[in-house]
Amino acid sequence: MNGEPLSRAELLERPLLKRNLAALAAGDQHRAAAWLTEAPGLKAVAEVNGESGEPIVVAGGQTQASRRDPAREAGLWLDKLAGQNRLDGDGELILFGLGAPWPAARLLERFPGRSLWIFEPDPLVALAVLSHHDFSAHLAGPEPELRFLTPWQVAEEKVPAGAVLLIHPPAQRREPARLSRLRRALDHSHPDLAPLSGRKPRLMLIPPLSGGSWPVALSLGRAAEAGGYPFLFLEWGPELNHLEEAAQKAPPAEAGRLAARLFELAAPQAAEAAADWRPDLVVALAQAPLDAPALERLRAAAGAPLAFWLVEDYRFFNYVAEVAPAYDALFHIQEGLIEPVLKNWGLSRAWYLPLAADAGLFRPRAEAETAGYRADLSFMGAGYPNRRRLLTRLAERYWPRTGRPAEAFRVFGSGWSGADPALKGHLFEGGRRVSLPECALIYAGGRVNLNIHSSTRPNPEFEPESRFVNPRTFEIAAAGALQIVDPRPLLPPMFQEGRELVTAERPEDLPDLIDHYLAHPEEAEAIGRAARARVLAEHTYVHRLERLLASLGWTES
């Protein structure tokens, strides 16, 4: 066993695992068997040899038991629990973590007939352990001694009442957010929304230090102010910003140390602010610098529910799976894609909440205001591979035949280093980063705005499977401008095709659409006006904040 990653397919071929899974599936634990064999893993799982030759599971780079004498280590752990009177009585036991077989095996030996539940959040870790120890006799029968809890049961809080929780230390280090979720399920300790008694709720908004969700946090703060909600917008100190900048530039080992220090400093700052403000609800934005232990500390200080608005594609941000279960409620932008994952995270309080526009910032502008940003054809965004491919083709094959000057087709934004020479002449100021106020001027100054959602793959250039609508869609509409957008399954209920925006079904459709709306500016202007009216009626951050509170069942009395 050389520590190479193990696949589920490889594990499922092992005889002991087959025997254990058959015993699970034969009884009333078929849902647990299905979860183990189908749910995605959380960490890379491998095995190494212990000193006596027994296999030791490695999850996320961490060994889940001592290499020297794991069986003795398990016995000492139980002796410690017994000395703390944690094992007294005859009630049911829940063991958090099955990173090694010996803790569960020793519990079954010492307490025959006493029900033992296992909650191992990572199915691949559980499969690896079950492939090396025969638990089938304890799993069989109508009332087995050994049972498995799935994240679905934890999400629904269908856990044994009054059970004693035992925590295997390696699992606590590996999955702190899921331990937090299990504890709340056992205690039914979700903080409830405080009665309003005729007042508006006190909100605490926690932004990231930077990134794409930073402007969303700012807009949500302005929405709270416009809606008359008392709110605290947490201002992170300069030390955290400096640490983040340093971590982004440092080599991996040093970046990890700096990130750990960042989280260490963020936790007390957030908790102290919450204890002072006493909010009714805490709302954290994606990439807020809070890990699971920090969220536990924040919940205790605030005495209020913690909500998380994930305004990113969850598939590209590994931290989301690490922290999401530690929140009491989650809001997301990927309806029809993320729901099975939410169940595996142990979350039942989760709602679709699309992005929106800050209509005070994004609005029609006078021609003099947009003078430096005007373009016949405009694109604003980072240089993702699919956009590079598409815009380069437009620059090479389409734009020259229009007879319009090169500077009338402009590409704004950063991340375009190494762009094809055909595209370089269209980059605004060499591809520098533009500010949010500049974005508002860019959209208002574009006669035709291209809105191509990002993809890390160059092909396909349109990728509707990502199932989210980017903020640019709402912001261009709020600016009263025409946009041509790639197909998005979630878009039709939000905007009316052909009246409030224009969809290009295929990349090949773009030249004809661009030609048409450049030749018919009155149609483009009418679509822009209708789009802004739709945003003002349905798609501002005030609307989103009200929907967030309503989803939680909060109504003013």
Side-chain angles (χ1 to χ4, degrees), residues 20 23-25 27-29 32 36 92-95 97-98 100-101 103-109 111-119 129-130 133-149:
N20 283 320
L24 257 182
D28 64 353
Q29 298 197 72
L36 287 168
E92 294 179 292
L93 302 171
I94 295 180
L95 174 61
L98 188 66
R106 294 291 180 265
L107 282 165
L108 292 167
E109 289 172 5
F111 304 102
R114 191 171 180 179
S115 292
L116 173 63
W117 295 76
I118 303 288
F119 181 47
V129 172
L130 292 174
H133 190 90
D134 187 0
F135 286 106
S136 59
H138 302 284
L139 294 166
E143 296 185 7
E145 289 178 279
L146 183 61
R147 293 177 175 270
F148 276 82
L149 280 172

Side-chain angles (χ1 to χ4, degrees), residues 221-386:
R222 286 192 283 266
E225 184 175 21
Y229 296 96
F231 74 98
L232 171 69
F233 189 93
L234 184 60
E235 298 282 356
W236 298 111
E239 185 175 3
L240 291 185
N241 287 285
H242 293 154
L243 276 172
E244 185 190 46
E245 291 174 9
Q248 290 173 349
K249 298 174 183 176
E254 178 66 8
R257 186 190 68 79
L258 292 170
R261 178 60 178 161
L262 189 154
F263 285 116
E264 182 183 327
L265 292 174
Q269 186 173 338
E272 288 164 15
D276 182 60
W277 179 247
R278 302 305 297 174
D280 298 307
L281 176 68
V282 177
V283 182
L285 272 293
Q287 300 185 56
L290 299 170
D291 57 13
L295 290 168
E296 285 292 289
R297 184 170 177 175
L298 175 60
R299 180 182 289 104
L306 309 183
F308 182 47
W309 193 6
L310 176 58
V311 295
E312 306 278 8
D313 187 334
Y314 80 91
R315 297 171 301 173
F316 298 113
F317 294 89
N318 294 333
Y319 82 94
V320 176
E322 301 292 333
V323 302
Y327 284 92
D328 300 297
L330 183 140
F331 296 87
H332 62 85
I333 62 172
Q334 292 180 284
E335 187 176 46
L337 180 66
I338 198 175
E339 287 82 0
V341 177
L342 294 173
K343 290 187 69 176
N344 285 325
W345 290 347
L347 285 165
S348 58
R349 294 180 175 186
W351 295 270
Y352 172 55
L353 187 68
L355 287 158
D358 188 333
L361 175 62
F362 295 94
R363 64 184 190 275
R365 306 286 183 137
E367 187 170 333
E369 288 185 88
T370 61
Y373 304 93
R374 298 189 68 79
D376 289 343
L377 179 61
S378 178
F379 175 82
M380 205 299 294
Y384 279 84
N386 67 315

Side-chain angles (χ1 to χ4, degrees), residues 70-91 93 101-116 133 135 138 145 166:
R72 180 175 178 274
E73 177 192 66
L76 293 174
W77 176 66
L78 290 186
D79 289 342
K80 180 180 178 181
L81 293 175
Q84 298 169 345
N85 301 319
R86 297 289 310 283
L87 301 175
D88 293 350
D90 56 1
L93 302 171
W102 302 281
R106 294 291 180 265
L107 282 165
L108 292 167
E109 289 172 5
R110 291 197 189 187
F111 304 102
R114 191 171 180 179
S115 292
L116 173 63
H133 190 90
F135 286 106
H138 302 284
E145 289 178 279
L166 309 175

